[in-house]
Amino acid sequence: MHLLNLILQTSSFGVFTSSRLFFPLRLPATFSFALQIFPSRSTISFSHYNIHKTMASGLVTKRAKYKTTIKDPGTPGHLRMTLEKILFMPHNPKSAGKLDVEFRYIKGQKHTKEGSNKPPWLNLTNNQNGSFIFEFENYSDLQDCRDFVGKVLAKSGEVSEKPTVAYPDEQLSAAEMELRIKLLQEDSELQKLHKQFVLSGVLTEAEFWATRKKLLDREASKKMKQRLGFKSAMVSDIKPSTDGRTNKVTFNLTPEIILQIFAEKPAVHRAFLSYVPNKMSERNFWTKYFRAEYLHSTKNSIAAAAEAAEDEELAVFLKQDDILASEARKKIRRVDPTLDMEADEGDDYTHLPDHGIFRDGNKEMTESQNELYKRTLSQDINRHAAVVLEGRAVDAEFEDTKAVAEALAQSKRESSNKGESDGDTSRERLDRLSRMTEIEDLQGSNNLPLAPLCIKDPRDYFDSQQANALRTSGDALGGTEQIKCSLSILEVYSSLRESISSIKAMGWKEPIVKPEAAHQVFDALTNSISNTKHNIGKNPQESVLDRLPRKTKEELLHIWTSILELLKHFWASYPITTSYLYAKVNRLKDAMSNIYPQLEEIKGSVPSEFRHQVSLLVRPMHQALDAAIQHYEASMQKRSTQSGEKPNGYV
Amino acid sequence: MKFLIEDVTVYFPYDHIYPEQYSYMIELKRALDAKGHCLLEMPTGTGKTIALLSLITSYSFSRPHTPIKLIYCTRTVHEMEKTLAELTLLHNYQVKHLGPQARILAIGLSSRKNLCVNPTVVASENRDSVDAGCRKLTASWVRAMAAENPDVPTCEFFENYEKAASAAVLPPGVYTLQELRAFGKQKGWCPYFLARHMVQVANVVVYSYQYLLDPKVAGIISKEMQKESVVVFDEAHNIDNVCIEALSVSIRRQTLEGATRNLSRISQEIDGFKATDASRLRTEYNRLVEGLALRGNLPIADNWLSNPALPDDILKEAVPGNIRKAEHFLHVLRRLVQYLSGRLDTENVEKESPVGFVASISSHAGIDQKTLKFCYDRLHSLMLTLEITDTDEFLHIQTICDFATLVGTYGRGFSIIIEPFDERMPSIPDPILQLSCHDASLAIKPVFERFQSVVITSGTLSPIDLFPRLLDFHPVVSRSFKMSLTRDCICPMVLTRGSDQLPVSTKFDMRSDPGVVRNYGKLLLEMVSVVPDGIVCFFVSYSYMDGIINTWNDTGILKDIMQHKLVFIETQDVVETTLALDNYRRACDCGRGAVFFSVARGKVAEGIDFDRHYGRLVIMFGVPFQYTLSKLEYLRDTFQIKEGDFLTFDALQRQAAQCVGRVIRSKADYGMMIFADKRYSQHDKRSKLPSWILSHLQDANLNLSTDMALHIAREFLRKMAQPYDKTGSSDRKTLLSQEDLEKMGDGSMHEMLY
């Protein structure tokens, strides 16, 4: 199963990382190169979603009754679910209700709702339209099992791609499941909350997502994934490290770097595929590569030519990349015709060889022999930028160079096939051309397609933005400018009257609010928002949070978001109309009261110089929680007085 | 929108029009009425091209009995594509509103390389090999041979085109090069010859300057254009250089070596023909006696570049007797090559007039002026007689004959300069013999004489009285328009000091100073972190750019720049530069942002627009001076133009303005430009900048350091991000609707504008 594989892999990564391949090599120069190839150092972050406590063990055991039909009184026993199977062992080993079904035969599940007057039943349908019904002792058991089954089905759905029957309530399709996992992976904050509340049972899966429907919708509709690009830095910027004592130079290579080298230098990629491991070892390959890079960096094309003549493998790295040249010829046909300078050569009769007047730079030094081994920095920079712009063709993470090379080759084949079959490019080119030629303000604008921005850590992003805004607005105002912000009622009234009468007289004006005024208000707001956070600190650049110890800051922020999450659910549960909501409120209240000691603990743990500030920060949290609990108690009281009058089924 | 200018109804494809465009059209219409030449300057970003196309097509519709043909000349193929795209937009609009009578035929014409659809031919690398490849399949003798022997390969597209004969026509419409190719492929006709044929009947022809100005090309492409044509030279601020280069030749060692090889190949061919088909050579001799250097009507596919001298200067007389015989002609060429190679063995820079040079050839090599003059046509005739199809191999000898003909034809306006080495690398002998033309009016003269109206237009033609003198013509209308801006959307700055307050300059004694290089780097680094989307940097030369980039790379500045934006660089390889530009645009489109490093006077600076988000900031590192002393002397002596004037005019008016002038596409667009050199703060230099830049150059921005420039840039960008009223304030409208135009007559229009 997919899940297990992931976990296994992760542990094996740990092993790999600790064992570095380290080999010193001798070279004719006074330097010697050593090479380290790290397996991917980036830690695999997998969703906590998957390690639900029940999931982590891959096992659920619950007391239940197994019923063959709804009417059947049921056989009491233990229901045991693993990732592969559903096992039912009756208490009485002699009774006939023993069951052993593999999950892949299960098509879907139905269950009774809490609050309805049915017992907690779980109905699993198999692919022969039969069904297994289990009656649990309570709803929480049902919930555990239901979630477990949901997840297992989602997983198996991925593999077999069987259309799962969509039930309006809780049944999740594989796609939805995946989407949720993806959302959690992308947003570390959400992931933390999910881990804290759903896994600890404060909120159910459904409740947690119910408040985030929008997130699910939007994500589902666009279904676009933002992929990680290449680094902006050039590969040649990877400086070797020296140990300072010997003349040994060590290059650190990660699959990331290797992928980038392959993408930027297709000839190296091809050489790798054909030479390694048959002709030379990977270590030798990279040693040769860096030797070539070293020669190249000396800018001595004569020496390079000499070495290349001796060693044909080395020559591959030193020569101009022929694959690039042929790719360039292909690409030039697809280039925007309004900047195709290559086409100009067709009409250019003044820059014929030996015609016209020589201008600066048009006179080239021709070293026909060594030209082959000359590569300019400009070429490298252009190539690098083009590759970065193109983005990664290969998405997955690899720990093995060979795998990197092959995946890249595969994706190249695909894209070249696609490129040939794709006839839309010329259409697209024409569209772009016509868009380019239009003069924008003489005609209404047409909307350009936008790539949505995906922000992994919202807090990080918006904090930095705010700091920027603060800085620039500070620039603009150039000091403290007092804005008169308290108006008497009379003043407000007269200004309102004035503007109404002016609208009456002149009609609506475009824009209604003057841009300057709007900008000023916006600035002031940004300032004041930032100030509430910053003004405790002396320096406006540095918020009070930043001065706290990092751990405390993290904790505080986390508790704050958890409180918000709880409060959101709490207030949304009122008015309480069902017993389900009642139970939920109780759960939430318990969770909230658990937060008090946590807050106290934080307050206690910080050094004394920060204590005051922390308590300032904690105060609003206390207030919010207090308000909620007060409301809870008040309503409880009300209920208990009312419950005497209303005995009809409300708990 | 639709409006009247005097008696002409103008169909304009947009809902609004700039007042400048309107008055531009009025002036243009007057020039057309007067059937004279005109010179119009209007800053970039005001939609010159569309105004011009709208008026001329509408003018033509309003006078259906005397239709005028529009010959629109662009400098480059990509500008041609851009013009055709605008024309497509206009044509669609006009057909929609005027019905079928608005249908016109408009085509772009380029060389075989850009139009050929035969996969085997077009696979060749450069134009000359494509031309030769085509000739190998389509020359009259090849086709005659193929008629007898089916194994001889021909081009099916050309054969189909020939078979279709007069039925091979293009239906009305606007055809870009790509559409021409698509049409040709679909019909199975050769698009190149089809286009060449349709040029005679098309209402609008868009092609390169050289198809009119360079006598070699004009002689075959444009010789049958009718007099009632309007010729437009767009972006004509460099037209004098194009004229000059069309008539200049340079010869190097390699040329002479190649020519020697060509000659021995020709002599082999002659021997071969003597043995097999001697009558052919005799026929040629007889023809030459009659004075026809070339048969009157060559089959269309046999044409090659015609005589480099202008048609009026070629005497219609018999070919001199001493070169009528093929062997004799070869001897003459051998002597000429030998003489030239002797002249290249010099150790000093030599300068000579053509008259002196001809006299010296005559005394040393025994070739007189008249013989020299006929060299080119004689060579052409010989190669046709010998049925040589791989003409791309014979470029060297062709160059020698070009040179001979030019030097034999013109006694003035030229000079011959021999330089023993490149001044930048004095240690490496690389002799070069240049025949440089100094008189731009020579090449353009026939155009002024032949066509009824010639319109020269550009964003920067000032001082506007210089061009009539440089090109020697008398315009009936000569106007310069100011741009009325809705808001201050141009922000020029002069940066004189770096972040450490030390002066920056590319002056010779300062340019390699590490402090200057570092300050330039710091400037760019600060700017990339502030300016969104695209930034363009211009350097004074390739070598300077290479040096500075290497230094930035070594000091890590480049890496820091890359943190903010992708970096693309113009190189001397056109393919690579084109791809880099394409990537640059994509990086700007997708929001990644990029920096483009380019060279003033380079190909990118000449013709690529960096408007809108493709160039929010242009940085000009240094002053792009050019020193060609011989040309300056000539200008001083002939046209009384002062050297210093011309130099600063050339460097600032044209090059600098050229580089920074392409950031604005419309009044809604905005951009900044930084002139990073302390010399720009001197009044005499600065005042030579185009007026539309000067008018936005505030005194406070004349002497900035990096941190001040950064502050101004931030402020400017914030200001530009605010919404504004596009039509301008009520007393000075910058955008007119149809209603506005109808409301005011001509009189009030003028009042409002000036």
Side-chain angles (χ1 to χ4, degrees):
Chain A
M1 292 242 94
H2 183 244
L3 173 75
L4 284 179
N5 282 343
L6 188 62
I7 296 167
L8 274 176
Q9 263 175 11
T10 332
S11 59
S12 67
F13 270 118
V15 178
F16 264 111
T17 320
S18 55
S19 70
R20 292 173 175 180
L21 304 162
F22 185 82
F23 16 68
L25 301 151
R26 294 265 158 252
L27 283 160
T30 50
F31 289 110
S32 69
F33 295 86
L35 200 63
Q36 291 184 336
I37 302 174
F38 294 132
S40 173
R41 282 188 295 194
S42 52
T43 51
I44 302 270
S45 64
F46 52 90
S47 154
H48 287 284
Y49 199 100
N50 290 334
I51 44 167
H52 194 290
K53 68 178 172 195
T54 54
M55 288 298 271
S57 57
L59 181 73
V60 178
T61 313
K62 294 281 165 193
R63 277 163 186 276
K65 285 184 194 163
Y66 170 53
K67 297 145 78 107
T68 43
T69 62
I70 300 170
K71 301 274 162 59
D72 189 352
T75 327
H78 277 102
L79 175 65
R80 215 179 135 84
M81 291 199 264
T82 66
L83 289 170
E84 285 88 13
K85 283 182 173 187
I86 302 168
L87 283 165
F88 184 77
M89 300 294 285
H91 289 311
N92 181 357
K94 290 191 185 86
S95 65
K98 205 173 161 190
L99 191 69
D100 184 350
V101 190
E102 282 189 37
F103 249 123
R104 59 194 167 95
Y105 294 117
I106 301 295
K107 218 167 69 178
Q109 58 167 340
K110 287 186 238 177
H111 58 87
T112 53
K113 265 190 208 156
E114 202 169 359
S116 65
N117 48 6
K118 288 201 182 116
W121 283 352
L122 180 69
N123 182 347
L124 301 176
T125 37
N126 68 9
N127 48 6
Q128 276 97 39
N129 276 332
S131 60
F132 315 104
I133 302 168
F134 300 98
E135 186 182 325
F136 292 91
E137 287 176 349
N138 52 32
Y139 270 105
S140 77
D141 281 358
L142 168 65
Q143 229 156 47
D144 281 354
C145 289
R146 185 189 68 191
D147 287 354
F148 185 84
V149 172
K151 278 160 204 160
V152 175
L153 284 183
K155 289 279 168 223
S156 63
E158 246 177 61
V159 181
S160 62
E161 290 187 8
K162 265 186 272 172
T164 46
V165 186
Y167 290 92
D169 188 28
E170 276 304 289
Q171 180 63 50
L172 287 177
S173 70
E176 268 170 37
M177 205 70 187
E178 226 172 88
L179 179 62
R180 288 181 183 186
I181 295 175
K182 206 183 92 192
L183 279 172
L184 290 180
Q185 274 170 344
E186 278 172 3
D187 188 340
S188 57
E189 208 160 283
L190 202 63
Q191 193 175 349
K192 262 191 215 156
L193 282 179
H194 187 268
K195 186 177 158 199
Q196 190 181 0
F197 294 124
V198 179
L199 302 190
S200 65
V202 175
L203 294 171
T204 64
E205 182 72 29
E207 283 165 356
F208 182 78
W209 288 108
T211 53
R212 293 183 169 78
K213 279 210 174 94
K214 207 177 157 199
L215 212 58
L216 290 170
D217 284 353
R218 204 190 54 202
E219 287 287 326
S221 64
K222 75 173 186 248
K223 260 202 163 172
M224 223 167 73
K225 197 171 157 215
Q226 190 161 325
R227 288 203 284 196
L228 200 66
F230 282 114
K231 288 212 173 65
S232 298
M234 293 196 20
V235 179
S236 59
D237 288 343
I238 299 163
K239 293 277 181 288
S241 57
T242 44
D243 57 1
R245 283 173 295 125
T246 56
N247 281 333
K248 202 159 63 186
V249 187
T250 312
F251 287 94
N252 289 332
L253 276 181
T254 63
E256 173 75 33
I257 295 170
I258 290 173
L259 180 62
Q260 198 165 344
I261 292 174
F262 284 162
E264 286 183 23
K265 296 168 184 167
V268 175
H269 181 212
R270 183 184 53 189
F272 183 87
L273 286 176
S274 57
Y275 291 165
V276 179
N278 304 330
K279 212 165 165 188
M280 58 172 89
S281 71
E282 187 176 346
R283 184 180 60 176
N284 279 334
F285 181 86
W286 289 116
T287 313
K288 272 215 164 55
Y289 172 77
F290 280 109
R291 170 96 195 123
E293 285 299 296
Y294 169 76
L295 278 173
H296 173 233
S297 72
T298 57
K299 297 195 178 80
N300 188 346
S301 57
I302 297 163
E307 291 232 7
E310 281 171 23
D311 185 343
E312 61 173 299
E313 282 107 34
L314 192 66
V316 171
F317 300 132
L318 289 169
K319 261 189 214 157
Q320 297 273 11
D321 201 323
D322 56 324
I323 302 180
L324 275 189
S326 67
E327 263 179 24
R329 304 200 75 200
K330 236 182 264 165
K331 276 187 198 152
I332 200 101
R333 302 216 178 121
R334 278 180 273 150
V335 104
D336 185 347
T338 58
L339 42 74
D340 189 356
M341 293 194 299
E342 203 252 344
D344 287 349
E345 294 203 319
D347 271 350
D348 194 348
Y349 290 88
T350 52
H351 299 132
L352 282 175
D354 308 323
H355 277 262
I357 297 174
F358 275 112
R359 293 183 296 178
D360 168 77
N362 280 7
K363 208 168 181 178
E364 285 162 55
M365 300 302 298
T366 40
E367 298 165 77
S368 54
Q369 191 61 49
N370 300 332
E371 187 80 340
L372 199 56
Y373 301 106
K374 227 172 121 187
R375 203 175 66 201
T376 62
L377 180 63
S378 312
Q379 278 171 314
D380 282 350
I381 292 173
N382 279 336
R383 176 68 192 156
H384 166 73
V387 166
V388 171
L389 187 65
E390 229 161 67
R392 273 160 110 92
V394 184
D395 209 20
E397 311 228 9
F398 299 100
E399 79 272 29
D400 177 20
T401 323
K402 194 84 192 160
V404 172
E406 266 151 21
L408 190 66
Q410 176 66 30
S411 80
K412 262 193 189 156
R413 269 196 297 278
E414 276 165 19
S415 68
S416 74
N417 288 342
K418 205 175 122 208
E420 275 159 29
S421 63
D422 207 347
D424 289 346
T425 43
S426 69
R427 180 80 252 146
E428 189 189 312
R429 250 171 51 168
L430 284 180
D431 284 351
R432 205 166 112 182
L433 188 59
S434 69
R435 219 173 35 234
M436 288 276 303
T437 49
E438 264 178 33
I439 302 178
E440 48 200 346
D441 58 342
L442 295 183
Q443 201 72 16
S445 65
N446 40 8
N447 293 326
L448 291 166
L450 296 172
L453 180 65
C454 155
I455 298 167
K456 213 161 206 169
D457 194 342
R459 190 187 294 141
D460 231 28
Y461 178 78
F462 287 112
D463 271 7
S464 68
Q465 289 302 305
Q466 212 164 40
N468 275 343
L470 193 71
R471 194 168 57 198
T472 47
S473 65
D475 271 7
L477 295 176
T480 50
E481 194 182 306
Q482 283 297 323
I483 302 167
K484 192 184 173 195
C485 47
S486 65
L487 291 169
S488 71
I489 300 171
L490 213 64
E491 276 175 297
V492 173
Y493 177 67
S494 66
S495 125
L496 201 61
R497 267 188 68 144
E498 210 175 281
S499 53
I500 289 173
S501 63
S502 85
I503 288 170
K504 268 188 181 162
M506 297 156 69
W508 288 103
K509 263 190 307 189
E510 275 301 323
I512 297 168
V513 179
K514 273 192 213 146
E516 299 85 42
H519 185 238
Q520 210 173 6
V521 169
F522 183 65
D523 261 0
L525 278 178
T526 328
N527 239 335
S528 75
I529 291 169
S530 327
N531 277 347
T532 50
K533 213 175 97 190
H534 295 297
N535 62 7
I536 312 176
K538 279 183 230 133
N539 185 351
Q541 306 288 336
E542 184 190 348
S543 84
V544 65
L545 277 173
D546 289 334
R547 296 198 295 149
L548 293 176
R550 193 178 162 74
K551 191 166 154 277
T552 322
K553 178 188 162 189
E554 299 272 295
E555 269 174 31
L556 273 174
L557 285 172
H558 178 64
I559 288 184
W560 178 235
T561 46
S562 355
I563 292 173
L564 286 181
E565 179 72 19
L566 287 173
L567 287 173
K568 194 158 67 181
H569 284 280
F570 178 81
W571 292 110
S573 312
Y574 281 94
I576 298 172
T577 49
T578 60
S579 58
Y580 168 75
L581 282 176
Y582 181 74
K584 183 181 172 187
V585 166
N586 275 331
R587 266 187 284 134
L588 290 168
K589 188 228 133 197
D590 291 345
M592 285 194 291
S593 33
N594 283 342
I595 287 181
Y596 285 100
Q598 282 182 27
L599 287 174
E600 287 308 311
E601 195 187 312
I602 290 182
K603 265 203 264 184
S605 70
V606 292
S608 54
E609 66 262 37
F610 296 124
R611 199 155 296 162
H612 172 64
Q613 280 157 11
V614 170
S615 62
L616 279 182
L617 288 170
V618 164
R619 197 178 297 151
M621 305 187 199
H622 270 299
Q623 283 166 352
L625 288 174
D626 288 348
I629 287 180
Q630 247 169 31
H631 185 265
Y632 172 79
E633 272 159 8
S635 73
M636 282 307 280
Q637 227 161 16
K638 218 164 147 195
R639 279 179 87 79
S640 60
T641 54
Q642 278 178 351
S643 62
E645 298 154 26
K646 271 189 176 181
N648 55 347
Y650 276 92
V651 187
Chain B
M1 65 195 291
K2 193 169 93 171
F3 53 89
L4 268 177
I5 290 182
E6 287 156 22
D7 55 334
V8 175
T9 315
V10 179
Y11 293 85
F12 189 71
Y14 295 106
D15 296 337
H16 297 270
I17 187 170
Y18 296 137
E20 296 86 337
Q21 288 177 315
Y22 185 72
S23 30
Y24 184 89
M25 287 186 191
I26 292 174
E27 294 297 333
L28 186 58
K29 193 210 163 242
R30 288 183 185 151
L32 293 185
D33 283 342
K35 296 189 196 306
H37 311 314
C38 73
L39 193 64
L40 295 170
E41 179 193 27
M42 185 157 83
T44 46
T46 43
K48 266 190 308 290
T49 309
I50 192 70
L52 207 144
L53 292 173
S54 300
L55 184 91
I56 295 178
T57 47
S58 304
Y59 190 88
S60 180
F61 295 146
S62 73
R63 287 161 178 66
H65 303 298
T66 52
I68 49 168
K69 184 189 193 107
L70 170 60
I71 303 175
Y72 195 101
C73 301
T74 61
R75 288 179 306 173
T76 56
V77 176
H78 49 88
E79 281 175 4
M80 182 195 303
E81 295 270 9
K82 228 162 31 189
T83 308
L84 285 166
E86 296 209 34
L87 197 58
T88 315
L89 187 88
L90 176 70
H91 185 241
N92 290 343
Y93 176 83
Q94 287 177 340
V95 169
K96 201 171 123 202
H97 288 266
L98 207 68
Q101 61 148 318
R103 286 191 188 283
I104 53 169
L105 175 65
I107 56 170
L109 181 66
S110 183
S111 62
R112 288 183 178 90
K113 176 169 173 286
N114 292 333
L115 281 175
C116 181
V117 287
N118 189 328
T120 53
V121 176
V122 82
S124 312
E125 286 246 345
N126 55 38
R127 183 190 58 224
D128 297 304
S129 30
V130 173
D131 284 358
C134 181
R135 239 170 246 127
K136 271 176 211 157
L137 300 179
T138 58
S140 53
W141 59 89
V142 173
R143 297 181 60 224
M145 223 146 60
E148 289 160 19
N149 178 4
D151 289 344
V152 175
T154 55
C155 172
E156 49 164 328
F157 294 100
F158 184 74
E159 295 303 320
N160 286 340
Y161 167 74
E162 283 284 292
K163 251 179 246 153
S166 59
V169 285
L170 276 169
V174 181
Y175 294 88
T176 62
L177 298 185
Q178 197 189 342
E179 282 157 343
L180 267 179
R181 281 196 301 267
F183 182 82
K185 251 190 201 152
Q186 181 207 335
K187 291 274 183 184
W189 296 336
C190 173
Y192 174 73
F193 288 106
L194 181 63
R196 283 265 308 267
H197 176 63
M198 295 311 286
V199 161
Q200 313 299 340
V201 292
N203 305 75
V204 182
V205 179
V206 184
Y207 57 33
S208 163
Y209 275 18
Q210 276 138 9
Y211 284 31
L212 270 188
L213 293 182
D214 192 330
K216 297 193 285 296
V217 206
I220 51 168
I221 306 266
S222 309
K223 64 179 173 219
E224 280 165 41
M225 298 287 191
Q226 60 261 42
K227 185 179 171 13
E228 292 75 31
S229 302
V230 181
V231 176
V232 176
F233 290 103
D234 196 6
E235 304 287 342
H237 44 269
N238 254 345
I239 195 169
D240 54 330
N241 284 340
V242 177
C243 293
I244 284 169
E245 293 194 7
L247 294 180
S248 300
V249 184
S250 47
I251 294 173
R252 302 168 74 190
R253 276 250 176 275
Q254 293 92 314
T255 324
L256 293 176
E257 285 158 14
T260 315
R261 278 198 304 275
N262 291 159
L263 286 176
S264 46
R265 163 93 190 274
I266 291 175
S267 96
Q268 280 167 19
E269 295 274 341
I270 291 175
D271 291 344
F273 265 102
K274 262 191 192 152
T276 57
D277 194 1
S279 64
R280 200 179 265 283
L281 290 170
R282 247 194 323 276
T283 330
E284 189 198 21
Y285 181 86
N286 294 335
R287 207 175 64 236
L288 293 174
V289 176
E290 285 161 32
L292 299 167
L294 289 174
R295 282 171 277 181
N297 284 319
L298 282 175
I300 191 166
D302 288 0
N303 267 328
W304 40 291
L305 296 184
S306 60
N307 198 307
L310 297 157
D312 300 349
D313 299 320
I314 301 165
L315 297 175
K316 300 273 180 271
E317 57 183 293
V319 174
N322 57 350
I323 56 171
R324 278 185 210 151
K325 263 196 134 83
E327 303 93 322
H328 295 168
F329 179 56
L330 271 191
H331 282 306
V332 166
L333 286 182
R334 284 223 175 88
R335 287 207 302 275
L336 180 64
V337 169
Q338 205 168 12
Y339 173 77
L340 291 175
S341 107
R343 288 301 299 264
L344 275 181
D345 282 333
T346 173
E347 280 171 10
N348 308 310
V349 177
E350 290 175 26
K351 189 173 169 249
E352 218 172 316
S353 77
V355 178
F357 196 79
V358 169
S360 145
I361 291 182
S362 166
S363 62
H364 288 87
I367 308 170
D368 61 2
Q369 184 220 350
K370 198 173 165 204
T371 314
L372 284 175
K373 208 196 291 187
F374 277 94
C375 269
Y376 189 86
D377 283 337
R378 182 66 190 90
L379 177 75
H380 191 177
S381 159
L382 179 63
M383 285 177 69
L384 279 179
T385 312
L386 296 177
E387 296 182 348
I388 290 172
T389 46
D390 50 347
T391 44
D392 56 332
E393 302 289 323
F394 289 85
L395 287 177
H396 295 296
I397 191 68
Q398 227 172 297
T399 307
I400 302 289
C401 289
D402 268 2
F403 173 81
T405 305
L406 283 173
V407 99
T409 312
Y410 296 104
R412 53 175 282 282
F414 284 80
S415 64
I416 288 153
I417 302 161
I418 307 171
E419 287 173 41
F421 47 75
D422 189 339
E423 62 211 55
R424 283 168 301 163
M425 277 166 280
S427 55
I428 304 162
D430 179 22
I432 182 165
L433 186 149
Q434 294 190 34
L435 173 72
S436 5
C437 172
H438 302 310
D439 193 345
S441 65
L442 279 178
I444 204 170
K445 202 161 139 212
V447 179
F448 284 127
E449 282 167 2
R450 243 174 87 194
F451 297 105
Q452 127 183 346
S453 298
V454 176
V455 180
I456 291 182
T457 185
S458 171
T460 39
L461 288 174
S462 50
I464 202 156
D465 54 332
L466 185 69
F467 275 85
R469 275 195 283 162
L470 274 178
L471 302 179
D472 195 21
F473 76 112
H474 304 287
V476 292
V477 174
S478 156
R479 272 293 292 278
S480 173
F481 297 93
K482 294 241 163 22
M483 190 177 185
S484 62
L485 289 173
T486 322
R487 50 178 185 168
D488 285 334
C489 62
I490 304 167
C491 177
M493 294 177 239
V494 173
L495 182 122
T496 54
R497 287 161 293 141
S499 45
D500 55 3
Q501 304 302 321
L502 290 174
V504 290
S505 175
T506 55
K507 232 164 98 177
F508 194 71
D509 50 339
M510 285 178 75
R511 60 164 65 178
S512 47
D513 179 359
V516 172
V517 173
R518 192 185 56 239
N519 272 329
Y520 277 155
K522 282 270 154 57
L523 168 68
L524 182 59
L525 183 56
E526 295 283 359
M527 286 300 164
V528 288
S529 64
V530 175
V531 180
D533 298 324
I535 293 181
V536 194
C537 300
F538 287 101
F539 297 87
V540 288
S541 68
Y542 278 113
S543 51
Y544 185 62
M545 179 170 79
D546 273 350
I548 212 166
I549 290 172
N550 273 311
T551 319
W552 286 352
N553 187 41
D554 295 343
T555 51
I557 290 178
L558 197 65
K559 194 176 162 192
D560 294 340
I561 291 171
M562 281 182 186
Q563 292 297 325
H564 296 278
K565 289 185 192 299
L566 294 177
V567 176
F568 294 98
I569 301 172
E570 175 182 6
T571 62
Q572 308 209 17
D573 178 359
V574 198
V575 175
E576 187 171 342
T577 306
T578 305
L579 289 178
L581 265 176
D582 195 51
N583 284 328
Y584 170 80
R585 285 219 168 154
R586 282 197 292 131
C588 293
D589 281 337
C590 75
R592 180 70 170 79
V595 190
F596 195 85
F597 290 159
S598 179
V599 174
R601 292 172 196 282
K603 284 200 172 146
V604 172
E606 250 175 29
I608 301 294
D609 287 347
F610 291 104
D611 52 359
R612 297 174 300 156
H613 59 291
Y614 298 130
R616 288 297 181 211
L617 169 68
V618 178
I619 305 178
M620 181 83 231
F621 292 109
V623 186
F625 276 119
Q626 181 194 35
Y627 299 95
T628 38
L629 289 175
S630 57
K631 181 173 162 189
L632 295 176
E633 279 169 26
Y634 181 81
L635 285 178
R636 185 191 55 206
D637 299 344
T638 323
F639 298 118
Q640 288 80 47
I641 298 170
K642 271 193 226 145
E643 296 148 48
D645 273 0
F646 186 81
L647 264 186
T648 35
F649 158 76
D650 184 64
L652 294 152
Q653 279 288 5
R654 288 212 279 220
Q655 303 308 331
Q658 169 90 260
C659 297
V660 301
R662 320 189 68 87
V663 282
I664 304 290
R665 160 133 190 103
S666 68
K667 291 179 183 178
D669 199 358
Y670 58 91
M672 296 181 283
M673 36 208 93
I674 295 179
F675 296 95
D677 193 308
K678 67 170 182 177
R679 284 173 290 175
Y680 284 109
S681 67
Q682 297 163 15
H683 182 262
D684 63 319
K685 299 277 184 322
R686 195 178 66 233
S687 60
K688 294 286 192 315
L689 284 171
S691 57
W692 62 273
I693 293 181
L694 274 183
S695 62
H696 287 89
L697 187 56
Q698 293 156 10
D699 287 344
N701 294 359
L702 284 181
N703 189 9
L704 300 174
S705 62
T706 305
D707 44 334
M708 293 151 85
L710 193 68
H711 181 77
I712 291 170
R714 278 214 189 98
E715 286 287 291
F716 175 75
L717 288 169
R718 180 139 16 95
K719 211 164 71 195
M720 286 301 115
Q722 309 309 317
Y724 70 103
D725 184 4
K726 287 203 170 92
T727 52
S729 52
S730 51
D731 55 327
R732 251 183 81 83
K733 284 231 167 215
T734 53
L735 199 64
L736 304 174
S737 64
Q738 183 149 7
E739 226 175 289
D740 293 330
L741 284 179
E742 281 160 10
K743 235 188 286 179
M744 19 196 174
D746 263 2
S748 64
M749 188 72 208
H750 274 261
E751 253 167 54
M752 199 184 70
L753 284 172
Y754 309 107

